[in-house]
Amino acid sequence: MTDLIVLQAKSYLPHIPLTVISQGAEAIVFETSVHPYCSKPSLRNQSKFIIKYRPPKPYRHPKIDASLTKSRTIGEAKFMALLARNGIPSPSLIAADFPHGIIWMEQLGGKLPNGEPSSLKNWLWYLERTNNASECVSEQVENICRQVGILIAHLHMSDMVHGDLTTSNIILEDGKPYLIDFGLSSYSSMAEDKAVDLYVMERAVLSTHSVYAEKYNFWILEGYLEAQRSSGDGKRSRNALVDTLRKLDDVRLRGRKRSMLG
């Protein structure tokens, strides 16, 4: 199936070298060395770029599928553009082909010493596998986790919700976290939606970094609180934060009940 999807992508991107780096339920992600508009790209002096491709879904009616692909690609591209406008660290949008479900963007991060991409998940795993406990909860790790919390807070203060906050969807570049993958993202001022975002992140940390999850989650939430409290938006910001934290407690309780009921 992957070979067929690659052939489909190549038909829309002729003469563009494509290397598959990940595949999910909605899209396949390629790496390429070609910029769509210039032979000598200046974007952070990059030589590699990312192409995200939403392939057709054979189980949907072709017209419905085409409409969904186009609208979701437009929605994701608009979300990325708004992130950039609001100064929220994320990949720069380079180009898009909405009817064919293609988004061309900046590639962030590099490789860890073990050759893995520098996502927050891979970085924490690398530390956990190659270092002692003190290194895994070092000042550097605390600083990164707090930065992640600050990043999420800035997202939420812009009334934007990621929808799939995990340590896989945060990339580290030069010690700074960036958000990626906005296929499930949306706009919302509701405390419930922001609380669910935070809860998804908590559960992701717990499931992938269970030994140190309590500290990681504490630091992430501390960063979140710090950014919200220092936003300069006064009473409105404080009330929004209180509402979000109250909803977060509710979401946690619902999650525990579901776990108990199986």
Side-chain angles (χ1 to χ4, degrees), residues 58-107:
Y59 54 83
R60 292 197 293 235
H61 187 282
K63 288 188 176 179
I64 295 174
D65 182 65
S67 177
L68 285 172
T69 296
K70 182 177 180 179
S71 64
R72 288 174 181 175
T73 306
I74 290 172
E76 186 169 357
K78 285 183 174 179
F79 197 90
M80 292 177 67
L82 187 57
L83 287 170
R85 196 177 310 146
N86 291 341
I88 298 170
S90 56
S92 297
L93 178 66
I94 298 175
D97 177 349
F98 299 135
H100 295 135
I102 293 169
I103 295 178
W104 211 313
M105 69 190 80
E106 170 188 21
Q107 185 181 52

Side-chain angles (χ1 to χ4, degrees), residues 128 202 205-207 209-218:
E128 291 161 11
E202 278 188 359
V205 171
L206 183 62
S207 66
H209 314 284
S210 56
V211 175
Y212 306 103
E214 186 176 351
K215 282 189 177 293
Y216 296 164
N217 278 325
F218 175 78

Side-chain angles (χ1 to χ4, degrees), residues 4-261:
L4 178 59
I5 293 172
V6 172
L7 288 174
Q8 289 171 339
K10 286 184 175 181
S11 71
Y12 303 131
L13 299 161
H15 314 301
I16 303 297
L18 300 175
T19 302
V20 177
I21 58 173
S22 68
Q23 182 174 6
E26 275 291 306
I28 186 166
V29 178
F30 300 99
E31 180 184 78
T32 184
S33 58
V34 177
H35 190 283
Y37 303 130
C38 57
S39 59
K40 296 181 179 178
S42 60
L43 189 65
R44 299 194 188 195
N45 297 314
Q46 276 195 280
S47 59
K48 296 288 185 181
F49 304 92
I50 294 296
I51 296 175
K52 181 174 181 179
Y53 169 58
R54 284 182 167 87
K57 299 294 186 290
Y59 54 83
R60 292 197 293 235
H61 187 282
K63 288 188 176 179
I64 295 174
D65 182 65
S67 177
L68 285 172
T69 296
K70 182 177 180 179
S71 64
R72 288 174 181 175
T73 306
I74 290 172
E76 186 169 357
K78 285 183 174 179
F79 197 90
M80 292 177 67
L82 187 57
L83 287 170
R85 196 177 310 146
N86 291 341
I88 298 170
S90 56
S92 297
L93 178 66
I94 298 175
D97 177 349
F98 299 135
H100 295 135
I102 293 169
I103 295 178
W104 211 313
M105 69 190 80
E106 170 188 21
Q107 185 181 52
L108 293 172
K111 299 289 185 181
L112 297 172
N114 62 0
E116 292 289 325
S118 58
S119 66
L120 178 61
K121 181 178 78 172
N122 288 341
W123 182 65
L124 291 175
W125 272 355
Y126 177 74
L127 292 180
E128 291 161 11
R129 291 168 179 166
T130 60
N131 292 278
N132 56 38
S134 63
E135 289 295 321
C136 295
V137 291
S138 65
E139 184 177 339
Q140 181 190 22
V141 176
E142 178 181 353
N143 179 54
I144 292 292
C145 288
R146 287 180 181 274
Q147 285 189 60
V148 169
I150 292 168
L151 176 58
I152 298 169
H154 288 161
L155 181 77
H156 288 175
M157 286 189 286
S158 299
D159 287 338
M160 303 171 79
V161 174
H162 187 278
D164 190 21
L165 273 177
T166 67
T167 50
S168 295
N169 286 334
I170 296 171
I171 292 292
L172 300 179
E173 181 169 283
D174 298 327
K176 180 179 178 180
Y178 291 75
L179 290 172
I180 63 168
D181 194 354
F182 309 104
L184 298 176
S185 298
S186 61
Y187 308 92
S188 177
S189 60
M190 294 178 62
E192 171 88 9
D193 294 332
K194 296 171 185 179
V196 169
D197 235 13
L198 290 171
Y199 180 70
V200 169
M201 187 68 186
E202 278 188 359
R203 298 302 300 178
V205 171
L206 183 62
S207 66
T208 53
H209 314 284
S210 56
V211 175
Y212 306 103
E214 186 176 351
K215 282 189 177 293
Y216 296 164
N217 278 325
F218 175 78
W219 289 329
I220 290 170
L221 190 57
E222 281 291 296
Y224 186 86
L225 298 176
E226 173 192 331
Q228 292 271 8
R229 288 167 178 162
S230 62
S231 67
D233 203 14
K235 186 177 180 180
R236 178 179 176 275
S237 180
R238 289 195 298 272
N239 290 342
L241 177 59
V242 169
D243 289 345
T244 299
L245 294 179
R246 187 183 298 121
K247 287 293 184 181
L248 179 57
D249 286 336
D250 292 343
V251 173
R252 286 168 175 158
L253 181 60
R254 294 201 300 267
R256 286 196 292 271
K257 285 181 178 178
R258 280 197 297 271
S259 296
M260 290 170 63
L261 294 173

